[in-house]
């Protein structure tokens, strides 16, 4: 009995993609810290957006508060993943303290940008991207040159 063409094509594409997925997974495992930091950043950006939109949708329509909560969730994940994977360090007091200080600065910056764009009448979904566009490169540079020195 033959499979429908659509199922056959999907199975064929999955089989063709499997070696690429394995190569990408192996590549990320041995990638330089900068690429691992970027991959972690993508994960945390998605987490930030999901938490902020969930907060705005289900809890309270307050962009500044939603981005503050989202920033805390994403920063906690970021600290653990970047310390252990991106920079191959142990979670030590000095690193944790510096990461926390950068996170506090980033949280304040996140809430300030969110409040400013909300006052300007920018839609919530776009305001979240504005926050990420300002906060992400700022915290990256601080972590790169200070937290993990």
């Amino acid at each position: 009995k033959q499979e429908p063409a659509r199922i056959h094509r999907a199975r064929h594409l999955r089989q063709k993609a499997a070696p690429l997925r394995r190569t990408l997974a192996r590549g990320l495992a041995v990638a330089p810290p900068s690429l691992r930091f970027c991959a972690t950043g993508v994960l945390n950006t998605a987490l930030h957006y999901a938490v902020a939109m969930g907060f705005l949708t289900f809890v309270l329509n307050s962009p500044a508060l939603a981005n503050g909560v989202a920033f805390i969730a994403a920063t906690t994940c970021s600290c653990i993943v970047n310390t252990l994977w991106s920079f191959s360090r142990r979670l030590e007091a000095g690193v944790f303290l510096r990461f926390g200080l950068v996170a506090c600065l980033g949280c304040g910056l996140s809430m300030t940008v969110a409040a400013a764009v909300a006052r300007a009448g920018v839609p919530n979904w776009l305001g979240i991207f504005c926050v990420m566009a300002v906060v992400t490169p700022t915290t990256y540079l601080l972590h790169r040159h200070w937290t993990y020195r």
Side-chain angles (χ1 to χ4, degrees), residues 4-120:
R6 189 179 86 242
I7 293 173
H8 178 73
R9 279 192 307 270
R11 180 174 291 140
H12 178 71
L13 288 174
R14 276 195 307 274
Q15 289 170 347
K16 293 283 251 184
L20 177 60
R21 282 194 309 267
R22 284 192 298 274
T23 301
L24 287 173
R26 261 185 265 125
L28 279 176
V30 296
S34 59
L35 288 179
R36 288 182 280 178
F37 192 94
C38 290
T40 302
V42 170
L43 167 72
N44 288 307
T45 298
L47 178 62
H48 181 115
Y49 186 81
V51 170
M53 283 306 291
F55 191 95
L56 289 166
T57 302
F58 299 110
V59 180
L60 181 66
N61 188 12
S62 171
L65 188 56
N67 276 282
V69 169
F71 190 86
I72 290 167
T75 299
T76 301
C77 179
S78 179
C79 180
I80 293 166
V81 175
N82 277 315
T83 301
L84 298 176
W85 183 54
S86 299
F87 293 97
S88 302
R89 301 273 183 91
R90 291 190 319 220
L91 287 171
E92 297 173 338
V95 168
F96 186 74
L97 178 64
R98 288 189 298 273
F99 201 102
L101 290 171
V102 171
C104 288
L105 176 71
C107 185
L109 184 58
S110 176
M111 294 176 77
T112 301
V113 171
V117 296
R119 274 193 304 276

Side-chain angles (χ1 to χ4, degrees), residues 33-35 37-38 82 87 102 134-148:
S34 59
L35 288 179
F37 192 94
C38 290
N82 277 315
F87 293 97
V102 171
V134 171
V135 175
T136 302
T138 303
T139 56
Y140 168 77
L141 290 171
L142 288 168
H143 286 313
R144 173 113 168 87
H145 295 292
W146 187 58
T147 303
Y148 296 106

